[in-house]
């Protein structure tokens, strides 16, 4: 069994922008477990554990879901938390740009994967890039002020060209993500 998820990888200039943001946030929010910048991605679907021989079926589902979708543009935008400021567990940046195309892709992917036995999400899709996880109590006023200060944050825009099925291996030094299959969108 391998732990997997489907995601859109980020280009280097977006990772650099997010790295700069995280470095600014670290001294303000030292109790947050920050994601390693090169591990930040736009998750489309977490699949959990699968058999290795299922990867080709999943690649085919991605291909069928993205068949009519051409390159589209996104950018990281603003700063927020899940589930809310009083019980914050995840710090993330949202996205702006071709969100209608992204949601269309996500919905198509959910349909195709559901046929393969992966249940649809109960929650609405909120496209985001996870920056950090809050595992210890944090001062909600400091957090609220920090979010307010970064509402105008924005990464460079980027063109989505591929969708990747990643393998995720957890180890004490952090997760290691390995691309298993790639599906390229049409230009």
């Amino acid at each position: 069994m391998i732990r997997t998820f489907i995601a859109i990888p980020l280009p280097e200039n977006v990772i650099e922008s997010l790295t700069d943001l995280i470095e600014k946030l670290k001294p303000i929010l030292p109790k947050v477990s920050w994601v390693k910048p090169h591990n930040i991605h736009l998750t489309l679907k977490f699949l959990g554990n699968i058999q290795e021989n299922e990867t080709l079926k999943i690649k085919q589902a991605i291909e069928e879901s993205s068949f009519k979708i051409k390159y589209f543009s996104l950018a990281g935008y603003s700063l927020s938390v899940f589930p809310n400021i009083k019980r914050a567990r995840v710090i993330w940046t949202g996205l702006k740009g071709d969100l209608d195309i992204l949601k269309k892709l996500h919905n198509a992917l959910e349909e195709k994967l559901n046929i393969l036995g992966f249940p649809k999400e109960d929650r609405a899709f909120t496209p985001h890039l996870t920056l950090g996880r809050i595992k210890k109590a944090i001062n909600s006023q400091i957090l609220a002020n920090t979010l307010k200060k970064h509402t105008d944050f924005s990464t460079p825009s980027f063109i989505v060209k591929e969708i990747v099925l990643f393998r995720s291996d957890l180890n004490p030094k952090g997760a290691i993500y390995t691309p298993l299959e790639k599906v390229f969108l049409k230009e």
Side-chain angles (χ1 to χ4, degrees), residues 133-183:
R133 292 183 174 78
I134 301 169
K135 296 176 181 171
K136 298 177 182 172
I138 192 167
N139 183 313
S140 61
Q141 189 58 51
I142 291 173
L143 180 59
N145 291 342
T146 302
L147 297 180
K148 188 175 179 182
K149 184 178 176 185
H150 292 88
T151 53
D152 293 337
F153 169 76
S154 186
T155 70
S157 64
F158 60 97
I159 304 297
V160 176
K161 299 178 180 177
E162 64 181 346
I163 302 163
V164 179
L165 172 63
F166 282 98
R167 174 183 180 143
S168 171
D169 292 298
L170 303 176
N171 72 44
K173 292 183 180 178
I176 297 171
Y177 302 144
T178 308
L180 295 175
E181 299 288 347
K182 292 183 179 182
V183 173

Side-chain angles (χ1 to χ4, degrees), residues 109-121:
L109 199 52
E110 284 278 15
E111 292 293 332
K112 295 293 180 187
L113 290 168
N114 192 39
I115 294 168
L116 295 180
F118 297 97
K120 292 181 184 178
E121 291 287 331

Side-chain angles (χ1 to χ4, degrees), residues 19 21-32 34-35 37:
T19 301
L21 175 63
I22 289 171
E23 290 304 316
K24 288 177 189 169
L25 297 176
K26 277 182 178 177
I28 301 166
L29 303 167
K31 293 181 179 178
V32 173
W34 298 101
V35 176

Side-chain angles (χ1 to χ4, degrees), residues 53-111:
N53 63 7
E54 291 182 285
T55 59
L56 289 179
K57 286 182 192 172
I58 293 166
K59 181 182 182 185
Q60 186 177 1
I62 298 170
E63 287 171 340
E64 291 172 3
S65 304
S66 61
F67 179 70
K68 294 179 180 176
I69 295 177
K70 295 181 180 177
Y71 286 4
F72 60 99
S73 177
L74 295 172
Y77 180 67
S78 195
L79 197 60
S80 191
V81 294
F82 287 134
N84 58 55
I85 198 73
K86 296 270 185 204
R87 299 185 311 116
R89 293 292 174 261
V90 174
I91 297 178
W92 52 275
T93 186
L95 290 157
K96 63 180 181 179
D98 295 326
L99 295 179
D100 289 344
I101 298 171
L102 177 63
K103 288 179 181 174
K104 181 179 171 184
L105 171 64
H106 178 265
N107 291 341
L109 199 52
E110 284 278 15
E111 292 293 332

